[in-house]
Amino acid sequence: MATTAAIERLKKVKQLLKIERDEDYQLYKDQFLKVGVEQRRKNGVTWYPIKINQSELGAGDYLHLEIERTTHINTPHQFGSGKNVSLFSNKENEQLEITGTIKASSRNSLKLIVHTDELPDWCYDGKLGLNIQFDDNSYTEMQHALDVVISAGNNRVAELREMIEGTEPISFQKIDDTILVPQLNLSQNRAVRHTLAVNDIGVIHGPPGTGKTTSLIQAIRLTLQSESQILVCAPTNSAVDLITEKLLELGIDVLRLGHPARISEELLNTGIDGKITASPYYKDIKNLRRNAEEYFRMAGKYKRVFGKEEAQQRTAFYTEAKICIKEARMLEDYVVDELFKTAQVICCTPVTSTHRGLNRKKFDTLFFDEASQALEPMVWIPLLKCKRLILCGDHFQLPPVVKSVAAKKGGLDITLLDRCMKFKEAVVLLNRQYRMSSAIMGFSNSYFYNNELIADESNSQNRLVNDEESILFKSIEFIDTAGCSFDEMQNPETMSFSNPKEGQIIYTHLQQLLLEYKNYDSGPALDVGIISPYKQQMEWLRENQEALELDKTKLNSLSVKTIDGFQGEERDVIYISLVRSNENQEIGFLNDLRRMNVAITRAKKKLVVIGDSSTIGSNPFYKSFLEYCETNGAYRTAWEWA
């Protein structure tokens, strides 16, 4: 097979992926394998000791545990939902362990689903702990997908490979202008029509607040009129859950693939285990399993020393038990096969699309949401099963995570969405946004979107109050800490930065805002979000939340998260703590402009950004932002609160 530019490029991507995997594993080894339990606790990759507060059998006959750490309760950790961990015991110098997946985690407790139906005996004596495991599976699947794409010839995969490279033309059917979804606006309807006309590759470009998911769901609904089954993927479980939820609201039959720990509680009935439980055959499956347990119990009653007859009886019980289990499994397999045949939409993350139930399946269309966050090889995993691709996302929002500097330099973070954006005929922009006021939208609109976005009338003049004399009138404020000696602090263990004085200004400002808002009695209680790119600052803000005694009469919710934690979310008021304040004008994470775009586009009515203009001002992006704030009378100094 002749080599092509696409093949050469993908071979390079494969090398970069290996560099990334090796770097990721090296980080894991440094934090984990090379160090003792004390250092691992500090690194946040081990909880030890722990106690199991509760255990119960849940969906799919997996054991659900509630676990709490009993020491080091203020140490930041990396245990998050969806991560694979091992539960271990250090009993008598033996390393005993079983694996599980985290369902939900908080500061000092978590819910764990272990891959067994009962705990081994060693869990009841000796000290227990939890270790985070290295996830090699996604790398293996991405490498395999790249091998298939590189070696493809004279088939659909090869055609798509060359189209994405731009060496083969992409084509479209004639757009049907009669298609009109009443609840969609002009650009959303245009996106849906465009999607239905795509033969090969299409892109729905959805900037913040433009109703990307709404458009995507309608496009899927209309595609189902000509296709019996559709594959829908997104790089995160929360994004897959959101699409599943929206499709269910339209009455579409969805099969949500994934480990029960990675599916939201409300959607477990759309997963395989949930659907088996709802099946008319479930009663028979349960009875067969119960009978098997009874036969095993009766067989186990016989002592080690017994005669020929007893031995025959015991064998007979075991045989019956095995027959029951085999029949239960056959029934279960039949139910699962039917699910894969009849579901209108199968929703999952890319790695889960390698599920054995999808092994021989082919689809006409793959809809891939939040495509800006997925590495190119990640999209190829499900695309191998499909004839055409609809990417949905915004290449000016969250990029994929690449840990290796060398892999990033080589271009591993260039996504399929980035590549397809250059095919102008393939891209349709959603240009009406329903979240922010025009003032909040304005900077992002000019810097990233060529001023193509329009704020809808329903929110273009959104403010907390309409009195020009009030501090609440301004939709956007930049509070400058330059010259206030609000120096950043670095944690020597985590290397993350915090700025406590900046944090105090946030809470002082928020208190003032809430009191003023209360005086106006101007409407419903507010949802407020505080964002910082630095985990150390986030920790400080969370720890000091209660100490500052906010008047919560008009506060509905207050959430403190990193930028990634707010992806896809919105709040009435958003505070952004930029943290960095140093003489060298080093801004670290703040250089990630796509993440900053996510941060400044979460607010509906008021955006307050706090930072040091002398530190950030030399960067063109922040310089433009400061100028935008000054032009709009949104510039203030921290001396007003210091």
Side-chain angles (χ1 to χ4, degrees):
M1 185 186 71
T3 189
T4 65
I7 289 171
E8 286 307 312
R9 185 181 65 75
L10 288 168
K11 280 181 179 172
K12 189 185 168 200
V13 171
K14 200 177 164 211
Q15 288 166 354
L16 294 172
L17 190 63
K18 186 180 182 310
I19 292 169
E20 171 69 3
R21 186 254 171 222
D22 292 347
E23 171 84 5
D24 201 2
Y25 188 59
Q26 190 56 47
L27 283 169
Y28 174 75
K29 280 205 312 196
D30 292 346
Q31 286 189 325
F32 197 88
L33 301 176
K34 292 180 181 174
V35 295
V37 73
E38 190 56 45
Q39 187 58 46
R40 295 207 309 266
R41 282 194 292 213
K42 278 185 179 173
N43 293 341
V45 293
T46 292
W47 279 10
Y48 179 81
I50 57 159
K51 63 175 181 179
I52 299 172
N53 287 335
Q54 205 180 333
S55 73
E56 60 180 19
L57 208 55
D61 289 343
Y62 288 132
L63 205 58
H64 291 228
L65 307 178
E66 279 192 15
I67 285 171
E68 187 185 343
R69 61 172 168 175
T70 51
T71 63
H72 298 71
I73 53 177
N74 289 321
T75 310
H77 63 79
Q78 298 178 37
F79 289 80
S81 66
K83 285 200 174 178
N84 288 330
V85 295
S86 61
L87 176 68
F88 68 87
S89 165
N90 280 346
K91 182 191 171 194
E92 294 162 10
N93 299 323
E94 278 185 277
Q95 188 74 12
L96 306 158
E97 62 177 28
I98 51 171
T99 60
T101 306
I102 298 172
K103 176 76 181 168
S105 76
S106 59
R107 192 167 180 173
N108 292 310
S109 63
L110 54 81
K111 287 183 179 169
L112 181 68
I113 298 183
V114 288
H115 307 146
T116 176
D117 55 4
E118 62 176 323
L119 285 175
D121 293 341
W122 53 260
C123 285
Y124 299 100
D125 39 35
K127 277 187 176 174
L128 298 178
L130 275 185
N131 286 329
I132 286 178
Q133 291 190 308
F134 182 69
D135 174 24
D136 215 12
N137 191 30
S138 55
Y139 290 111
T140 307
E141 294 299 349
M142 285 193 280
Q143 291 281 10
H144 172 69
L146 285 174
D147 287 338
V148 175
V149 180
I150 289 165
S151 62
N154 302 320
N155 62 12
R156 187 55 176 162
V157 173
E159 286 171 3
L160 287 169
R161 177 189 71 209
E162 299 307 319
M163 286 169 181
I164 286 162
E165 200 63 27
T167 48
E168 287 287 325
I170 53 178
S171 66
F172 301 87
Q173 295 167 30
K174 191 176 183 305
I175 285 178
D176 183 353
D177 288 325
T178 63
I179 294 167
L180 184 72
V181 182
Q183 61 267 46
L184 299 186
N185 67 36
L186 200 64
S187 72
Q188 290 170 334
N189 266 303
R190 199 166 57 236
V192 169
R193 287 182 206 130
H194 167 79
T195 303
L196 298 173
V198 167
N199 286 330
D200 312 299
I201 298 159
V203 177
I204 299 175
H205 180 198
T210 53
K212 170 177 67 72
T213 307
T214 308
S215 310
L216 176 71
I217 297 305
Q218 290 297 333
I220 293 169
R221 180 182 69 82
L222 289 169
T223 304
L224 280 169
Q225 293 178 357
S226 57
E227 296 173 22
S228 59
Q229 200 172 54
I230 292 171
L231 183 60
V232 178
C233 286
T236 65
N237 280 290
S238 54
V240 178
D241 282 343
L242 179 65
I243 299 167
T244 304
E245 209 175 285
K246 299 287 182 194
L247 288 168
L248 289 172
E249 284 170 15
L250 293 181
I252 291 167
D253 179 16
V254 186
L255 178 59
R256 163 71 167 101
L257 289 187
H259 189 290
R262 297 191 176 101
I263 301 175
S264 83
E265 208 74 49
E266 299 74 36
L267 295 172
L268 282 173
N269 58 344
T270 63
I272 288 179
D273 296 326
K275 287 194 179 253
I276 288 173
T277 308
S279 150
Y281 296 102
Y282 181 62
K283 217 174 172 181
D284 299 330
I285 294 168
K286 212 171 174 183
N287 286 336
L288 284 163
R289 287 195 182 281
R290 203 177 283 135
N291 292 345
E293 275 173 27
E294 187 56 28
Y295 283 126
F296 275 130
R297 195 183 59 75
M298 291 195 291
K301 273 185 175 175
Y302 289 95
K303 301 281 177 279
R304 286 177 187 276
V305 184
F306 46 71
K308 191 179 174 187
E309 264 182 44
E310 285 89 348
Q312 285 173 339
Q313 188 62 56
R314 186 184 188 187
T315 306
F317 282 143
Y318 271 131
T319 306
E320 284 300 325
K322 284 172 184 169
I323 289 168
C324 287
I325 283 174
K326 192 180 176 186
E327 282 183 17
R329 284 207 182 121
M330 280 168 67
L331 253 185
E332 223 164 66
D333 288 346
Y334 170 75
V335 173
V336 172
D337 282 350
E338 283 303 301
L339 292 177
F340 278 103
K341 274 181 202 157
T342 58
Q344 291 175 284
V345 177
I346 293 172
C347 280
C348 57
T349 57
V351 172
T352 313
S353 71
T354 60
H355 188 286
R356 60 189 174 83
L358 293 177
N359 272 354
R360 292 187 191 84
K361 286 191 93 64
K362 292 284 179 201
F363 300 86
D364 285 335
T365 307
L366 168 65
F367 282 92
F368 201 106
D369 195 18
E370 301 295 3
S372 72
Q373 293 180 56
L375 293 173
E376 178 178 355
M378 198 50 100
V379 183
W380 277 112
I381 299 171
L383 186 52
L384 295 176
K385 303 175 187 301
C386 306
K387 291 180 186 170
R388 64 183 200 126
L389 170 66
I390 308 295
L391 294 168
C392 200
D394 178 13
H395 57 307
F396 295 126
Q397 289 189 64
L398 290 189
V401 175
V402 176
K403 293 174 182 171
S404 159
V405 175
K408 200 167 192 173
K409 252 187 192 154
L412 184 63
D413 61 341
I414 298 168
T415 65
L416 262 188
L417 182 65
D418 294 326
R419 297 195 181 282
C420 295
M421 285 304 294
K422 58 181 186 279
F423 307 135
K424 293 287 173 251
E425 73 277 28
V427 182
V428 62
L429 173 75
L430 302 175
N431 67 355
R432 183 170 292 275
Q433 76 79 17
Y434 295 91
R435 175 183 300 154
M436 300 159 268
S437 67
S438 298
I440 296 172
M441 177 188 80
F443 174 70
S444 204
N445 195 15
S446 66
Y447 198 91
F448 293 103
Y449 304 108
N450 298 319
N451 286 316
E452 287 183 70
L453 301 187
I454 303 150
D456 190 67
E457 283 172 19
S458 61
N459 51 278
S460 64
Q461 299 307 312
N462 257 0
R463 287 189 172 88
L464 291 175
V465 301
N466 285 318
D467 177 1
E468 290 186 31
E469 299 298 309
S470 168
I471 61 154
L472 305 180
F473 181 74
K474 285 274 177 220
S475 299
I476 185 167
E477 280 180 49
F478 178 78
I479 299 173
D480 192 359
T481 66
C484 295
S485 301
F486 285 11
D487 297 339
E488 65 191 40
M489 295 161 68
Q490 189 174 26
N491 182 321
E493 283 171 12
T494 63
M495 303 305 284
S496 184
F497 288 91
S498 65
N499 194 321
K501 288 183 179 173
E502 198 173 280
Q504 283 167 356
I505 293 272
I506 286 178
Y507 283 128
T508 310
H509 187 284
L510 176 57
Q511 177 69 302
Q512 192 182 337
L513 181 144
L514 290 170
L515 287 170
E516 181 103 0
Y517 187 68
K518 184 180 171 182
N519 292 341
Y520 275 88
D521 196 33
S522 52
L526 299 172
D527 292 313
V528 177
I530 305 177
I531 300 176
S532 179
Y534 291 94
K535 278 189 176 159
Q536 199 64 36
Q537 180 73 343
M538 191 180 78
E539 291 288 331
W540 187 93
L541 287 160
R542 283 179 176 167
E543 278 167 21
N544 290 276
Q545 203 168 302
E546 294 310 313
L548 290 145
E549 294 176 5
L550 294 168
D551 182 328
K552 295 181 180 171
T553 322
K554 284 287 185 181
L555 184 65
N556 184 42
S557 70
L558 176 61
S559 32
V560 181
K561 300 181 191 178
T562 57
I563 295 170
D564 294 37
F566 272 104
Q567 168 73 357
E569 295 189 14
E570 59 187 28
R571 297 290 186 274
D572 297 314
V573 181
I574 285 282
Y575 285 86
I576 302 174
S577 172
L578 297 178
V579 177
R580 301 310 298 267
S581 179
N582 57 69
E583 288 174 5
N584 306 326
Q585 298 180 325
E586 287 172 4
I587 63 171
F589 272 158
L590 303 187
N591 270 312
D592 193 338
L593 305 186
R594 285 163 59 161
R595 275 193 164 77
M596 284 315 298
N597 184 38
V598 172
I600 61 178
T601 54
R602 299 303 100 195
K604 295 199 284 187
K605 296 177 180 176
K606 191 170 182 71
L607 171 69
V608 184
V609 182
I610 301 177
D612 181 342
S613 64
S614 64
T615 300
I616 63 172
S618 58
N619 178 289
F621 172 84
Y622 294 100
K623 186 170 180 279
S624 301
F625 180 70
L626 292 168
E627 284 165 3
Y628 179 80
C629 290
E630 279 178 19
T631 309
N632 286 279
Y635 179 87
R636 300 179 77 176
T637 170
W639 288 112
E640 293 177 47
W641 287 274

